[in-house]
Amino acid sequence: MEFDIATIFETKPWLGKIVPATVSHIDKYYAFLSIHDLPVTDKAYLHVSQFSEKYTNSLTDELEIGQKLEVYIIRFNRKKESWEVSLKLAHYRQATAKDIEIKTIAKGTISNISADRIGVDVNGVLAFISSTESALLIESELYSVGDQIDVKIISLSSHTKAYTCTHSGAVELSSEIVIDIAVLHIEQDVKINEDGKHSIWTLYGYTPEGLLVGSKIEKIANPQNRLLPGAKLQAKVIRKGKSVPWLHWVQLSEKLPLTDEYTIKPKFGDHRIGTVHTVIGYGAFLSVWDGMDSFLHRKSIINDDTPDLYKYIDAGDRVEIEVKEDPDGKRPFSIHFVRMVERAVAELEREEKFSLFDLSSKPSIGKTGGFIRSARFKSKTLESFSHTCIFCGESQIIGTMATAAEAAHIVPRSKRGMDDVANGACMCKLHHWAFDRGFIGVSQNKAISISNLVRDSQGGISDALAMMEGEEIFWPDSLEFPVEAFAWHERNVFRVT
């Protein structure tokens, strides 16, 4: 279809008009209508999203051929060679035909509640509470169709032709007053800046009168597991929201009505669960006792001279810590990392970050100390290396059963090294002993490194070890070479002098 400039301009006066139309074709997701007296063409296109405010699965269940409708003209679509129209916007416009002054505060009646929005009849005018405020009010289950509520008219949308209003914003709470609130839910947002990663918790709740409130969670241990939906709290009003005018910001009372261990000052030896809220280069901050932040030094988490802490722990992670006496005596106590309890990010998304350390490992009980080891690590490692020492290349097995081979952790299990073949190597007893004590190591190109301590010694074992310097280790082609694990050993275990 060819259009000249005059024809295109002729369409514009029709935009925003409500006109009669007849259904001529129906499909699942769209329908074609016929509209007489329009310029260019009488063909109009109605998409399922423009049929109703409520979710519509298929237009074939809603319309009939020949059915008469009144639709709102959105625009002319040259590609479709038809007008785009909306039944939903026609209903909006008809419902808001009566003007109402912006910032008006009035009584309204809830006319409909959809999945994410509440409609209010204000003196015969249809107004909608914003989707975010509506979602929180729906979550509170305080209101039903037919209930009367106070609302404040905020704006008139040029696109939808519908008024927007607020319920909570229609009331002004005085600052500094203490109010009762019930928890709806809390949300977590992780922000990154020059200082590190910060986890910010926001609590949303409501007053007995149905007004919505928000509170930033600070110095509260494990808020996501304690401030549960329906919990009753007291809070002090700080101010009304600026960018969010329907929300009042409050500060939770210092003493939360939660009778659990987190309201009690910890004692030396206590084990507690805390949620990390900030991660910086040399450690992490979390609350293990309401009203106080504690610092977890990186050396307590990762046994590495130069750890990239952000690879192993995130804001929002839940960790178990042990309370100990502060060595400097400057703080009431210090905390030491025990294990990772729950990660804020799914394991699949963080798989590459945890190739060296198993932070969730539980300490073993007994004289050996360290962390619990699986029996499968030894059997799988020896099988993967065919019971052959990577340093001397000698098979350590006799027949099919007797083996002298040992399964070594490259990053030691005592330092939280992964209990997996990816962190394992097969060694004979002598070379395992020398490797664990840093007398020998492996470079990135698979060459054997020898400590100066070995070179400076003469005879016996020292000579045998020194003769291997520069030789390439025996590494199966079927296994990936763990460069990072051997690099960690070189930084933290291998003795240069």
Side-chain angles (χ1 to χ4, degrees), residues 68-108:
K68 305 295 184 182
L69 305 172
E70 286 194 327
V71 294
Y72 177 93
I73 305 293
I74 300 176
R75 67 187 180 108
F76 185 77
N77 190 315
R78 294 182 63 176
K79 290 185 177 180
K80 288 188 173 69
E81 298 182 355
S82 63
W83 295 87
E84 288 186 15
V85 298
S86 171
L87 186 65
K88 178 172 67 175
L89 295 184
H91 291 163
Y92 285 167
R93 183 68 271 180
Q94 290 163 346
T96 59
K98 179 181 175 183
D99 290 334
I100 186 168
E101 189 176 345
I102 304 301
K103 295 185 179 180
T104 295
I105 296 177
K107 287 283 185 186

Side-chain angles (χ1 to χ4, degrees), residues 227-240:
L227 301 174
L228 301 177
K232 301 295 191 293
L233 308 170
Q234 281 197 326
K236 182 173 67 175
V237 178
I238 302 174
R239 58 178 173 81
K240 193 172 183 180

Side-chain angles (χ1 to χ4, degrees), residues 122-134:
V122 185
N123 299 325
V125 176
L126 178 64
F128 287 96
I129 297 175
S130 70
S131 56
T132 307
E133 182 181 0
S134 287

Side-chain angles (χ1 to χ4, degrees), residues 263-283:
T263 61
I264 304 170
K265 183 177 178 179
K267 303 185 296 294
F268 299 148
D270 282 356
H271 280 236
R272 296 213 172 171
I273 306 294
T275 302
V276 175
H277 64 72
T278 299
V279 180
I280 55 180
Y282 55 90

Side-chain angles (χ1 to χ4, degrees), residues 10-26:
E10 192 180 355
T11 67
K12 291 192 175 181
W14 291 92
L15 302 185
K17 299 280 187 183
I18 295 177
V19 296
T22 305
V23 179
S24 58
H25 173 81
I26 308 171

Side-chain angles (χ1 to χ4, degrees), residues 14 21 50 60 91 134 137 160 163 166 215 242 325 329 403 446:
W14 291 92
Q50 294 298 323
T60 57
H91 291 163
S134 287
L137 290 174
T160 64
Y163 284 102
T166 173
S215 180
K242 296 177 182 178
E325 189 173 356
T403 181
K446 302 182 182 179

